[in-house]
Structures are given as C-alpha cells and as structure tokens.
Amino acid sequence: MIYLRSWRTWAFMLYIILIIYISSRTASELSILSFFWRYDKLIHFLEYLGLGFLMVNMLMLQSLKNTHWKFAVVFLFLFPILDETLQHYTPNRIPDIYDAVVDIFGGFFGAYIRKKI
C-alpha cells in the first residue's frame, strides 16, 4: 500500500515526474545542459540511483514483504526501458540501450543502499 500522506511517497512521485519531464524535452531544449553530455553514463547512473533510493525509502514506510521487493525489481527494470522508449519518440533525442542498462544498475544500487541504511 502506498501512503499518499507521506512526504516519502511524494518525493518519489515528483522524482518520477522530473525524469519523465526531462526525457520528453527535445535536444534543443536541453542544449543548456550540453556540457554534461560527456558524463552521460555517470549522470544516468546517479539519476536512477536516486530513483531506487527514493523508491525503497517510500516502500519502507511499512515492513517490506517479498511482494514489495518483486514490485521494486520489476519497476526498476522496466521504467528505464520505458524512459528510453519515450526518448525514441521525442524529436532530436536518441535512445540508447546502454543508457537503459546503466539506469537499471543505478536503480538497483540505490535500492540496495537504502535497504542497508
């Protein structure tokens, strides 16, 4: 169950919205960030590390069951793929399977860090 009155839930949801918003912007709209493209994989890893961390942080409002972990694993695997698919349909954006792989690893690492803290 997701608790809508918790700031943890809202932080997670707002972070997802931010990721979707950035992914739906055209390349020309993101040109101000062009300096960071040389660190593309690192940025992807850190972006999804935050997502995994916030997701487990939200799920830990109650004791974690196997069902929660299964949901988290499926979400952290599918969301990066959907994110890169969205970029395929965004003008002047190039989806990259390696970005999705780095995103998945970042998400799992963030989830692992939050579980251990």
PDB file of all heavy atoms in Angstrom, residues 8 11-13 15-16 19 42-58 75-76 79 102-114:
ATOM      1  N   ARG A   8       7.626  10.909   1.783  1.00  0.00           N
ATOM      2  CA  ARG A   8       8.445   9.952   1.045  1.00  0.00           C
ATOM      3  C   ARG A   8       7.767   9.554  -0.264  1.00  0.00           C
ATOM      4  O   ARG A   8       8.423   9.437  -1.296  1.00  0.00           O
ATOM      5  CB  ARG A   8       8.685   8.696   1.877  1.00  0.00           C
ATOM      6  CG  ARG A   8       9.542   8.902   3.096  1.00  0.00           C
ATOM      7  CD  ARG A   8       9.655   7.602   3.832  1.00  0.00           C
ATOM      8  NE  ARG A   8      10.420   7.713   5.048  1.00  0.00           N
ATOM      9  CZ  ARG A   8      10.771   6.685   5.784  1.00  0.00           C
ATOM     10  NH1 ARG A   8      10.414   5.465   5.434  1.00  0.00           N
ATOM     11  NH2 ARG A   8      11.467   6.860   6.882  1.00  0.00           N
ATOM     12  N   ALA A  11       7.923  12.565  -2.629  1.00  0.00           N
ATOM     13  CA  ALA A  11       9.281  12.760  -3.153  1.00  0.00           C
ATOM     14  C   ALA A  11       9.548  11.779  -4.293  1.00  0.00           C
ATOM     15  O   ALA A  11      10.085  12.155  -5.346  1.00  0.00           O
ATOM     16  CB  ALA A  11      10.316  12.581  -2.038  1.00  0.00           C
ATOM     17  N   PHE A  12       9.135  10.528  -4.103  1.00  0.00           N
ATOM     18  CA  PHE A  12       9.307   9.511  -5.144  1.00  0.00           C
ATOM     19  C   PHE A  12       8.505   9.871  -6.396  1.00  0.00           C
ATOM     20  O   PHE A  12       9.019   9.827  -7.518  1.00  0.00           O
ATOM     21  CB  PHE A  12       8.890   8.145  -4.597  1.00  0.00           C
ATOM     22  CG  PHE A  12       8.890   7.047  -5.628  1.00  0.00           C
ATOM     23  CD1 PHE A  12      10.065   6.593  -6.184  1.00  0.00           C
ATOM     24  CD2 PHE A  12       7.700   6.468  -6.033  1.00  0.00           C
ATOM     25  CE1 PHE A  12      10.067   5.582  -7.136  1.00  0.00           C
ATOM     26  CE2 PHE A  12       7.685   5.462  -6.980  1.00  0.00           C
ATOM     27  CZ  PHE A  12       8.873   5.017  -7.528  1.00  0.00           C
ATOM     28  N   MET A  13       7.246  10.249  -6.222  1.00  0.00           N
ATOM     29  CA  MET A  13       6.393  10.586  -7.364  1.00  0.00           C
ATOM     30  C   MET A  13       6.909  11.825  -8.112  1.00  0.00           C
ATOM     31  O   MET A  13       6.918  11.839  -9.349  1.00  0.00           O
ATOM     32  CB  MET A  13       4.960  10.812  -6.903  1.00  0.00           C
ATOM     33  CG  MET A  13       4.246   9.545  -6.538  1.00  0.00           C
ATOM     34  SD  MET A  13       2.511   9.930  -6.302  1.00  0.00           S
ATOM     35  CE  MET A  13       2.011   8.650  -5.204  1.00  0.00           C
ATOM     36  N   TYR A  15       9.948  12.852  -8.256  1.00  0.00           N
ATOM     37  CA  TYR A  15      11.189  12.474  -8.933  1.00  0.00           C
ATOM     38  C   TYR A  15      10.884  11.749 -10.241  1.00  0.00           C
ATOM     39  O   TYR A  15      11.542  11.991 -11.257  1.00  0.00           O
ATOM     40  CB  TYR A  15      12.043  11.606  -8.003  1.00  0.00           C
ATOM     41  CG  TYR A  15      13.484  11.524  -8.425  1.00  0.00           C
ATOM     42  CD1 TYR A  15      14.349  12.582  -8.190  1.00  0.00           C
ATOM     43  CD2 TYR A  15      13.986  10.396  -9.058  1.00  0.00           C
ATOM     44  CE1 TYR A  15      15.680  12.518  -8.573  1.00  0.00           C
ATOM     45  CE2 TYR A  15      15.307  10.318  -9.444  1.00  0.00           C
ATOM     46  CZ  TYR A  15      16.143  11.379  -9.205  1.00  0.00           C
ATOM     47  OH  TYR A  15      17.452  11.318  -9.590  1.00  0.00           O
ATOM     48  N   ILE A  16       9.875  10.885 -10.233  1.00  0.00           N
ATOM     49  CA  ILE A  16       9.460  10.204 -11.467  1.00  0.00           C
ATOM     50  C   ILE A  16       8.974  11.228 -12.488  1.00  0.00           C
ATOM     51  O   ILE A  16       9.326  11.159 -13.671  1.00  0.00           O
ATOM     52  CB  ILE A  16       8.356   9.168 -11.177  1.00  0.00           C
ATOM     53  CG1 ILE A  16       8.944   7.977 -10.451  1.00  0.00           C
ATOM     54  CG2 ILE A  16       7.679   8.708 -12.471  1.00  0.00           C
ATOM     55  CD1 ILE A  16       7.914   6.964 -10.014  1.00  0.00           C
ATOM     56  N   ILE A  19      11.929  12.982 -14.055  1.00  0.00           N
ATOM     57  CA  ILE A  19      12.601  12.140 -15.042  1.00  0.00           C
ATOM     58  C   ILE A  19      11.818  12.124 -16.356  1.00  0.00           C
ATOM     59  O   ILE A  19      12.391  12.294 -17.438  1.00  0.00           O
ATOM     60  CB  ILE A  19      12.796  10.703 -14.504  1.00  0.00           C
ATOM     61  CG1 ILE A  19      13.836  10.694 -13.385  1.00  0.00           C
ATOM     62  CG2 ILE A  19      13.220   9.757 -15.637  1.00  0.00           C
ATOM     63  CD1 ILE A  19      13.962   9.369 -12.667  1.00  0.00           C
ATOM     64  N   LEU A  42      27.482   8.461 -16.247  1.00  0.00           N
ATOM     65  CA  LEU A  42      27.522   8.786 -14.822  1.00  0.00           C
ATOM     66  C   LEU A  42      26.228   9.487 -14.396  1.00  0.00           C
ATOM     67  O   LEU A  42      25.663   9.169 -13.347  1.00  0.00           O
ATOM     68  CB  LEU A  42      28.730   9.664 -14.491  1.00  0.00           C
ATOM     69  CG  LEU A  42      28.841  10.134 -13.044  1.00  0.00           C
ATOM     70  CD1 LEU A  42      29.007   8.946 -12.101  1.00  0.00           C
ATOM     71  CD2 LEU A  42      29.987  11.113 -12.893  1.00  0.00           C
ATOM     72  N   ILE A  43      25.758  10.407 -15.225  1.00  0.00           N
ATOM     73  CA  ILE A  43      24.515  11.111 -14.915  1.00  0.00           C
ATOM     74  C   ILE A  43      23.338  10.139 -14.889  1.00  0.00           C
ATOM     75  O   ILE A  43      22.498  10.193 -13.987  1.00  0.00           O
ATOM     76  CB  ILE A  43      24.281  12.258 -15.917  1.00  0.00           C
ATOM     77  CG1 ILE A  43      25.314  13.355 -15.681  1.00  0.00           C
ATOM     78  CG2 ILE A  43      22.871  12.807 -15.803  1.00  0.00           C
ATOM     79  CD1 ILE A  43      25.368  14.411 -16.759  1.00  0.00           C
ATOM     80  N   HIS A  44      23.285   9.241 -15.863  1.00  0.00           N
ATOM     81  CA  HIS A  44      22.219   8.236 -15.877  1.00  0.00           C
ATOM     82  C   HIS A  44      22.275   7.370 -14.624  1.00  0.00           C
ATOM     83  O   HIS A  44      21.251   7.083 -13.996  1.00  0.00           O
ATOM     84  CB  HIS A  44      22.320   7.346 -17.117  1.00  0.00           C
ATOM     85  CG  HIS A  44      21.688   7.933 -18.321  1.00  0.00           C
ATOM     86  ND1 HIS A  44      20.368   7.729 -18.617  1.00  0.00           N
ATOM     87  CD2 HIS A  44      22.182   8.729 -19.296  1.00  0.00           C
ATOM     88  CE1 HIS A  44      20.077   8.377 -19.738  1.00  0.00           C
ATOM     89  NE2 HIS A  44      21.164   8.993 -20.163  1.00  0.00           N
ATOM     90  N   PHE A  45      23.470   6.935 -14.237  1.00  0.00           N
ATOM     91  CA  PHE A  45      23.619   6.088 -13.049  1.00  0.00           C
ATOM     92  C   PHE A  45      23.135   6.821 -11.799  1.00  0.00           C
ATOM     93  O   PHE A  45      22.358   6.275 -11.006  1.00  0.00           O
ATOM     94  CB  PHE A  45      25.084   5.665 -12.883  1.00  0.00           C
ATOM     95  CG  PHE A  45      25.309   4.730 -11.740  1.00  0.00           C
ATOM     96  CD1 PHE A  45      25.068   3.370 -11.882  1.00  0.00           C
ATOM     97  CD2 PHE A  45      25.755   5.202 -10.518  1.00  0.00           C
ATOM     98  CE1 PHE A  45      25.270   2.503 -10.818  1.00  0.00           C
ATOM     99  CE2 PHE A  45      25.959   4.339  -9.450  1.00  0.00           C
ATOM    100  CZ  PHE A  45      25.717   2.982  -9.609  1.00  0.00           C
ATOM    101  N   LEU A  46      23.572   8.062 -11.623  1.00  0.00           N
ATOM    102  CA  LEU A  46      23.192   8.829 -10.436  1.00  0.00           C
ATOM    103  C   LEU A  46      21.703   9.160 -10.417  1.00  0.00           C
ATOM    104  O   LEU A  46      21.067   9.154  -9.356  1.00  0.00           O
ATOM    105  CB  LEU A  46      24.021  10.108 -10.339  1.00  0.00           C
ATOM    106  CG  LEU A  46      25.515   9.914 -10.100  1.00  0.00           C
ATOM    107  CD1 LEU A  46      26.239  11.251 -10.156  1.00  0.00           C
ATOM    108  CD2 LEU A  46      25.771   9.196  -8.791  1.00  0.00           C
ATOM    109  N   GLU A  47      21.139   9.441 -11.602  1.00  0.00           N
ATOM    110  CA  GLU A  47      19.710   9.747 -11.705  1.00  0.00           C
ATOM    111  C   GLU A  47      18.865   8.564 -11.210  1.00  0.00           C
ATOM    112  O   GLU A  47      17.928   8.736 -10.429  1.00  0.00           O
ATOM    113  CB  GLU A  47      19.389  10.055 -13.169  1.00  0.00           C
ATOM    114  CG  GLU A  47      17.941  10.241 -13.488  1.00  0.00           C
ATOM    115  CD  GLU A  47      17.704  10.414 -14.982  1.00  0.00           C
ATOM    116  OE1 GLU A  47      18.580  10.084 -15.809  1.00  0.00           O
ATOM    117  OE2 GLU A  47      16.609  10.888 -15.313  1.00  0.00           O
ATOM    118  N   TYR A  48      19.226   7.372 -11.634  1.00  0.00           N
ATOM    119  CA  TYR A  48      18.456   6.204 -11.243  1.00  0.00           C
ATOM    120  C   TYR A  48      18.865   5.658  -9.885  1.00  0.00           C
ATOM    121  O   TYR A  48      18.079   4.969  -9.237  1.00  0.00           O
ATOM    122  CB  TYR A  48      18.515   5.142 -12.342  1.00  0.00           C
ATOM    123  CG  TYR A  48      17.487   5.471 -13.404  1.00  0.00           C
ATOM    124  CD1 TYR A  48      17.766   6.379 -14.412  1.00  0.00           C
ATOM    125  CD2 TYR A  48      16.216   4.932 -13.342  1.00  0.00           C
ATOM    126  CE1 TYR A  48      16.816   6.715 -15.347  1.00  0.00           C
ATOM    127  CE2 TYR A  48      15.258   5.258 -14.278  1.00  0.00           C
ATOM    128  CZ  TYR A  48      15.558   6.154 -15.275  1.00  0.00           C
ATOM    129  OH  TYR A  48      14.602   6.485 -16.184  1.00  0.00           O
ATOM    130  N   LEU A  49      20.072   5.960  -9.428  1.00  0.00           N
ATOM    131  CA  LEU A  49      20.436   5.649  -8.050  1.00  0.00           C
ATOM    132  C   LEU A  49      19.469   6.381  -7.121  1.00  0.00           C
ATOM    133  O   LEU A  49      18.952   5.807  -6.163  1.00  0.00           O
ATOM    134  CB  LEU A  49      21.880   6.065  -7.780  1.00  0.00           C
ATOM    135  CG  LEU A  49      22.385   5.763  -6.383  1.00  0.00           C
ATOM    136  CD1 LEU A  49      23.769   5.144  -6.468  1.00  0.00           C
ATOM    137  CD2 LEU A  49      22.449   7.005  -5.531  1.00  0.00           C
ATOM    138  N   GLY A  50      19.211   7.648  -7.430  1.00  0.00           N
ATOM    139  CA  GLY A  50      18.247   8.424  -6.648  1.00  0.00           C
ATOM    140  C   GLY A  50      16.855   7.829  -6.719  1.00  0.00           C
ATOM    141  O   GLY A  50      16.138   7.770  -5.719  1.00  0.00           O
ATOM    142  N   LEU A  51      16.455   7.367  -7.903  1.00  0.00           N
ATOM    143  CA  LEU A  51      15.131   6.765  -8.058  1.00  0.00           C
ATOM    144  C   LEU A  51      15.005   5.499  -7.213  1.00  0.00           C
ATOM    145  O   LEU A  51      14.015   5.318  -6.501  1.00  0.00           O
ATOM    146  CB  LEU A  51      14.851   6.452  -9.524  1.00  0.00           C
ATOM    147  CG  LEU A  51      13.479   5.867  -9.810  1.00  0.00           C
ATOM    148  CD1 LEU A  51      12.397   6.923  -9.641  1.00  0.00           C
ATOM    149  CD2 LEU A  51      13.425   5.272 -11.199  1.00  0.00           C
ATOM    150  N   GLY A  52      15.995   4.626  -7.279  1.00  0.00           N
ATOM    151  CA  GLY A  52      15.961   3.397  -6.486  1.00  0.00           C
ATOM    152  C   GLY A  52      15.953   3.678  -4.995  1.00  0.00           C
ATOM    153  O   GLY A  52      15.218   3.052  -4.229  1.00  0.00           O
ATOM    154  N   PHE A  53      16.755   4.647  -4.582  1.00  0.00           N
ATOM    155  CA  PHE A  53      16.816   5.041  -3.178  1.00  0.00           C
ATOM    156  C   PHE A  53      15.456   5.549  -2.703  1.00  0.00           C
ATOM    157  O   PHE A  53      14.936   5.118  -1.668  1.00  0.00           O
ATOM    158  CB  PHE A  53      17.884   6.115  -2.980  1.00  0.00           C
ATOM    159  CG  PHE A  53      18.128   6.479  -1.555  1.00  0.00           C
ATOM    160  CD1 PHE A  53      19.123   5.854  -0.834  1.00  0.00           C
ATOM    161  CD2 PHE A  53      17.372   7.458  -0.924  1.00  0.00           C
ATOM    162  CE1 PHE A  53      19.356   6.181   0.493  1.00  0.00           C
ATOM    163  CE2 PHE A  53      17.593   7.795   0.399  1.00  0.00           C
ATOM    164  CZ  PHE A  53      18.586   7.153   1.108  1.00  0.00           C
ATOM    165  N   LEU A  54      14.861   6.475  -3.480  1.00  0.00           N
ATOM    166  CA  LEU A  54      13.573   7.048  -3.093  1.00  0.00           C
ATOM    167  C   LEU A  54      12.455   6.011  -3.114  1.00  0.00           C
ATOM    168  O   LEU A  54      11.541   6.060  -2.283  1.00  0.00           O
ATOM    169  CB  LEU A  54      13.219   8.222  -4.013  1.00  0.00           C
ATOM    170  CG  LEU A  54      14.052   9.486  -3.825  1.00  0.00           C
ATOM    171  CD1 LEU A  54      13.717  10.502  -4.897  1.00  0.00           C
ATOM    172  CD2 LEU A  54      13.841  10.070  -2.433  1.00  0.00           C
ATOM    173  N   MET A  55      12.543   5.062  -4.036  1.00  0.00           N
ATOM    174  CA  MET A  55      11.504   4.040  -4.105  1.00  0.00           C
ATOM    175  C   MET A  55      11.522   3.158  -2.851  1.00  0.00           C
ATOM    176  O   MET A  55      10.487   2.917  -2.238  1.00  0.00           O
ATOM    177  CB  MET A  55      11.681   3.180  -5.341  1.00  0.00           C
ATOM    178  CG  MET A  55      10.633   2.105  -5.455  1.00  0.00           C
ATOM    179  SD  MET A  55      10.867   1.190  -6.944  1.00  0.00           S
ATOM    180  CE  MET A  55       9.241   0.600  -7.161  1.00  0.00           C
ATOM    181  N   VAL A  56      12.683   2.677  -2.478  1.00  0.00           N
ATOM    182  CA  VAL A  56      12.772   1.827  -1.283  1.00  0.00           C
ATOM    183  C   VAL A  56      12.470   2.650  -0.043  1.00  0.00           C
ATOM    184  O   VAL A  56      11.831   2.161   0.893  1.00  0.00           O
ATOM    185  CB  VAL A  56      14.144   1.129  -1.203  1.00  0.00           C
ATOM    186  CG1 VAL A  56      14.324   0.411   0.116  1.00  0.00           C
ATOM    187  CG2 VAL A  56      14.292   0.159  -2.362  1.00  0.00           C
ATOM    188  N   ASN A  57      12.881   3.905  -0.038  1.00  0.00           N
ATOM    189  CA  ASN A  57      12.555   4.789   1.081  1.00  0.00           C
ATOM    190  C   ASN A  57      11.036   4.881   1.261  1.00  0.00           C
ATOM    191  O   ASN A  57      10.536   4.836   2.380  1.00  0.00           O
ATOM    192  CB  ASN A  57      13.162   6.168   0.838  1.00  0.00           C
ATOM    193  CG  ASN A  57      13.136   7.042   2.057  1.00  0.00           C
ATOM    194  OD1 ASN A  57      13.485   6.606   3.145  1.00  0.00           O
ATOM    195  ND2 ASN A  57      12.715   8.275   1.879  1.00  0.00           N
ATOM    196  N   MET A  58      10.310   4.991   0.150  1.00  0.00           N
ATOM    197  CA  MET A  58       8.856   5.045   0.200  1.00  0.00           C
ATOM    198  C   MET A  58       8.280   3.706   0.665  1.00  0.00           C
ATOM    199  O   MET A  58       7.386   3.660   1.508  1.00  0.00           O
ATOM    200  CB  MET A  58       8.285   5.392  -1.179  1.00  0.00           C
ATOM    201  CG  MET A  58       6.776   5.338  -1.246  1.00  0.00           C
ATOM    202  SD  MET A  58       6.127   5.368  -2.928  1.00  0.00           S
ATOM    203  CE  MET A  58       6.660   3.788  -3.558  1.00  0.00           C
ATOM    204  N   PHE A  75       9.726  -2.736 -11.410  1.00  0.00           N
ATOM    205  CA  PHE A  75       9.673  -1.309 -11.725  1.00  0.00           C
ATOM    206  C   PHE A  75      11.042  -0.774 -12.123  1.00  0.00           C
ATOM    207  O   PHE A  75      11.176  -0.066 -13.124  1.00  0.00           O
ATOM    208  CB  PHE A  75       9.122  -0.509 -10.544  1.00  0.00           C
ATOM    209  CG  PHE A  75       9.053   0.961 -10.825  1.00  0.00           C
ATOM    210  CD1 PHE A  75       7.973   1.500 -11.501  1.00  0.00           C
ATOM    211  CD2 PHE A  75      10.074   1.807 -10.432  1.00  0.00           C
ATOM    212  CE1 PHE A  75       7.910   2.851 -11.781  1.00  0.00           C
ATOM    213  CE2 PHE A  75      10.022   3.162 -10.700  1.00  0.00           C
ATOM    214  CZ  PHE A  75       8.934   3.681 -11.382  1.00  0.00           C
ATOM    215  N   LEU A  76      12.076  -1.108 -11.330  1.00  0.00           N
ATOM    216  CA  LEU A  76      13.421  -0.601 -11.602  1.00  0.00           C
ATOM    217  C   LEU A  76      14.020  -1.211 -12.864  1.00  0.00           C
ATOM    218  O   LEU A  76      14.991  -0.691 -13.412  1.00  0.00           O
ATOM    219  CB  LEU A  76      14.341  -0.832 -10.407  1.00  0.00           C
ATOM    220  CG  LEU A  76      14.005  -0.006  -9.175  1.00  0.00           C
ATOM    221  CD1 LEU A  76      14.857  -0.436  -7.992  1.00  0.00           C
ATOM    222  CD2 LEU A  76      14.166   1.486  -9.447  1.00  0.00           C
ATOM    223  N   PHE A  79      11.050   0.660 -15.893  1.00  0.00           N
ATOM    224  CA  PHE A  79      10.965   2.120 -16.033  1.00  0.00           C
ATOM    225  C   PHE A  79      12.090   2.701 -16.890  1.00  0.00           C
ATOM    226  O   PHE A  79      11.826   3.553 -17.748  1.00  0.00           O
ATOM    227  CB  PHE A  79      10.890   2.798 -14.666  1.00  0.00           C
ATOM    228  CG  PHE A  79      10.625   4.266 -14.756  1.00  0.00           C
ATOM    229  CD1 PHE A  79       9.370   4.741 -15.123  1.00  0.00           C
ATOM    230  CD2 PHE A  79      11.631   5.185 -14.503  1.00  0.00           C
ATOM    231  CE1 PHE A  79       9.121   6.107 -15.231  1.00  0.00           C
ATOM    232  CE2 PHE A  79      11.390   6.549 -14.600  1.00  0.00           C
ATOM    233  CZ  PHE A  79      10.134   7.005 -14.965  1.00  0.00           C
ATOM    234  N   VAL A 102      22.661   1.112 -17.753  1.00  0.00           N
ATOM    235  CA  VAL A 102      23.255   1.888 -16.658  1.00  0.00           C
ATOM    236  C   VAL A 102      22.161   2.357 -15.697  1.00  0.00           C
ATOM    237  O   VAL A 102      22.347   2.340 -14.474  1.00  0.00           O
ATOM    238  CB  VAL A 102      24.069   3.083 -17.224  1.00  0.00           C
ATOM    239  CG1 VAL A 102      24.497   4.025 -16.119  1.00  0.00           C
ATOM    240  CG2 VAL A 102      25.272   2.576 -17.996  1.00  0.00           C
ATOM    241  N   ASP A 103      21.006   2.762 -16.251  1.00  0.00           N
ATOM    242  CA  ASP A 103      19.876   3.176 -15.410  1.00  0.00           C
ATOM    243  C   ASP A 103      19.433   2.039 -14.494  1.00  0.00           C
ATOM    244  O   ASP A 103      19.169   2.252 -13.306  1.00  0.00           O
ATOM    245  CB  ASP A 103      18.686   3.602 -16.278  1.00  0.00           C
ATOM    246  CG  ASP A 103      18.950   4.863 -17.077  1.00  0.00           C
ATOM    247  OD1 ASP A 103      19.909   5.594 -16.757  1.00  0.00           O
ATOM    248  OD2 ASP A 103      18.183   5.119 -18.026  1.00  0.00           O
ATOM    249  N   ILE A 104      19.334   0.850 -15.034  1.00  0.00           N
ATOM    250  CA  ILE A 104      18.898  -0.313 -14.247  1.00  0.00           C
ATOM    251  C   ILE A 104      19.887  -0.585 -13.115  1.00  0.00           C
ATOM    252  O   ILE A 104      19.488  -0.772 -11.959  1.00  0.00           O
ATOM    253  CB  ILE A 104      18.710  -1.541 -15.159  1.00  0.00           C
ATOM    254  CG1 ILE A 104      17.505  -1.322 -16.076  1.00  0.00           C
ATOM    255  CG2 ILE A 104      18.558  -2.816 -14.340  1.00  0.00           C
ATOM    256  CD1 ILE A 104      17.401  -2.317 -17.215  1.00  0.00           C
ATOM    257  N   PHE A 105      21.175  -0.591 -13.436  1.00  0.00           N
ATOM    258  CA  PHE A 105      22.182  -0.813 -12.390  1.00  0.00           C
ATOM    259  C   PHE A 105      22.133   0.288 -11.333  1.00  0.00           C
ATOM    260  O   PHE A 105      22.244   0.012 -10.135  1.00  0.00           O
ATOM    261  CB  PHE A 105      23.592  -0.909 -12.981  1.00  0.00           C
ATOM    262  CG  PHE A 105      23.892  -2.243 -13.595  1.00  0.00           C
ATOM    263  CD1 PHE A 105      24.179  -2.336 -14.939  1.00  0.00           C
ATOM    264  CD2 PHE A 105      23.884  -3.393 -12.837  1.00  0.00           C
ATOM    265  CE1 PHE A 105      24.452  -3.562 -15.520  1.00  0.00           C
ATOM    266  CE2 PHE A 105      24.147  -4.627 -13.400  1.00  0.00           C
ATOM    267  CZ  PHE A 105      24.447  -4.713 -14.749  1.00  0.00           C
ATOM    268  N   GLY A 106      21.971   1.530 -11.770  1.00  0.00           N
ATOM    269  CA  GLY A 106      21.876   2.633 -10.821  1.00  0.00           C
ATOM    270  C   GLY A 106      20.670   2.490  -9.913  1.00  0.00           C
ATOM    271  O   GLY A 106      20.760   2.723  -8.703  1.00  0.00           O
ATOM    272  N   GLY A 107      19.525   2.115 -10.479  1.00  0.00           N
ATOM    273  CA  GLY A 107      18.311   1.920  -9.681  1.00  0.00           C
ATOM    274  C   GLY A 107      18.478   0.821  -8.649  1.00  0.00           C
ATOM    275  O   GLY A 107      18.109   0.979  -7.479  1.00  0.00           O
ATOM    276  N   PHE A 108      19.046  -0.298  -9.081  1.00  0.00           N
ATOM    277  CA  PHE A 108      19.251  -1.409  -8.138  1.00  0.00           C
ATOM    278  C   PHE A 108      20.253  -1.039  -7.050  1.00  0.00           C
ATOM    279  O   PHE A 108      20.081  -1.398  -5.886  1.00  0.00           O
ATOM    280  CB  PHE A 108      19.713  -2.665  -8.870  1.00  0.00           C
ATOM    281  CG  PHE A 108      18.635  -3.340  -9.668  1.00  0.00           C
ATOM    282  CD1 PHE A 108      18.955  -4.093 -10.776  1.00  0.00           C
ATOM    283  CD2 PHE A 108      17.292  -3.231  -9.325  1.00  0.00           C
ATOM    284  CE1 PHE A 108      17.971  -4.726 -11.525  1.00  0.00           C
ATOM    285  CE2 PHE A 108      16.299  -3.855 -10.058  1.00  0.00           C
ATOM    286  CZ  PHE A 108      16.641  -4.610 -11.159  1.00  0.00           C
ATOM    287  N   PHE A 109      21.302  -0.305  -7.420  1.00  0.00           N
ATOM    288  CA  PHE A 109      22.296   0.103  -6.431  1.00  0.00           C
ATOM    289  C   PHE A 109      21.699   1.077  -5.421  1.00  0.00           C
ATOM    290  O   PHE A 109      21.958   0.973  -4.219  1.00  0.00           O
ATOM    291  CB  PHE A 109      23.516   0.706  -7.130  1.00  0.00           C
ATOM    292  CG  PHE A 109      24.691   0.892  -6.224  1.00  0.00           C
ATOM    293  CD1 PHE A 109      25.319  -0.200  -5.636  1.00  0.00           C
ATOM    294  CD2 PHE A 109      25.185   2.150  -5.947  1.00  0.00           C
ATOM    295  CE1 PHE A 109      26.404  -0.036  -4.794  1.00  0.00           C
ATOM    296  CE2 PHE A 109      26.260   2.341  -5.107  1.00  0.00           C
ATOM    297  CZ  PHE A 109      26.876   1.240  -4.526  1.00  0.00           C
ATOM    298  N   GLY A 110      20.897   2.019  -5.899  1.00  0.00           N
ATOM    299  CA  GLY A 110      20.221   2.955  -4.992  1.00  0.00           C
ATOM    300  C   GLY A 110      19.278   2.244  -4.044  1.00  0.00           C
ATOM    301  O   GLY A 110      19.209   2.566  -2.849  1.00  0.00           O
ATOM    302  N   ALA A 111      18.552   1.256  -4.552  1.00  0.00           N
ATOM    303  CA  ALA A 111      17.641   0.470  -3.716  1.00  0.00           C
ATOM    304  C   ALA A 111      18.437  -0.311  -2.667  1.00  0.00           C
ATOM    305  O   ALA A 111      18.054  -0.380  -1.491  1.00  0.00           O
ATOM    306  CB  ALA A 111      16.811  -0.481  -4.584  1.00  0.00           C
ATOM    307  N   TYR A 112      19.563  -0.871  -3.081  1.00  0.00           N
ATOM    308  CA  TYR A 112      20.409  -1.634  -2.157  1.00  0.00           C
ATOM    309  C   TYR A 112      20.964  -0.736  -1.052  1.00  0.00           C
ATOM    310  O   TYR A 112      20.944  -1.100   0.124  1.00  0.00           O
ATOM    311  CB  TYR A 112      21.562  -2.298  -2.937  1.00  0.00           C
ATOM    312  CG  TYR A 112      22.527  -3.025  -2.066  1.00  0.00           C
ATOM    313  CD1 TYR A 112      22.214  -4.285  -1.559  1.00  0.00           C
ATOM    314  CD2 TYR A 112      23.749  -2.461  -1.719  1.00  0.00           C
ATOM    315  CE1 TYR A 112      23.111  -4.963  -0.741  1.00  0.00           C
ATOM    316  CE2 TYR A 112      24.645  -3.120  -0.911  1.00  0.00           C
ATOM    317  CZ  TYR A 112      24.314  -4.379  -0.417  1.00  0.00           C
ATOM    318  OH  TYR A 112      25.194  -5.039   0.400  1.00  0.00           O
ATOM    319  N   ILE A 113      21.420   0.452  -1.442  1.00  0.00           N
ATOM    320  CA  ILE A 113      21.968   1.391  -0.452  1.00  0.00           C
ATOM    321  C   ILE A 113      20.900   1.750   0.576  1.00  0.00           C
ATOM    322  O   ILE A 113      21.153   1.737   1.778  1.00  0.00           O
ATOM    323  CB  ILE A 113      22.512   2.663  -1.136  1.00  0.00           C
ATOM    324  CG1 ILE A 113      23.794   2.343  -1.879  1.00  0.00           C
ATOM    325  CG2 ILE A 113      22.765   3.773  -0.116  1.00  0.00           C
ATOM    326  CD1 ILE A 113      24.292   3.485  -2.739  1.00  0.00           C
ATOM    327  N   ARG A 114      19.701   2.069   0.110  1.00  0.00           N
ATOM    328  CA  ARG A 114      18.631   2.461   1.040  1.00  0.00           C
ATOM    329  C   ARG A 114      18.232   1.312   1.948  1.00  0.00           C
ATOM    330  O   ARG A 114      17.922   1.509   3.125  1.00  0.00           O
ATOM    331  CB  ARG A 114      17.406   2.987   0.267  1.00  0.00           C
ATOM    332  CG  ARG A 114      16.239   3.366   1.171  1.00  0.00           C
ATOM    333  CD  ARG A 114      16.673   4.426   2.186  1.00  0.00           C
ATOM    334  NE  ARG A 114      15.645   4.716   3.131  1.00  0.00           N
ATOM    335  CZ  ARG A 114      15.623   4.290   4.402  1.00  0.00           C
ATOM    336  NH1 ARG A 114      16.597   3.519   4.855  1.00  0.00           N
ATOM    337  NH2 ARG A 114      14.651   4.629   5.203  1.00  0.00           N
TER     338      ARG A 114
END
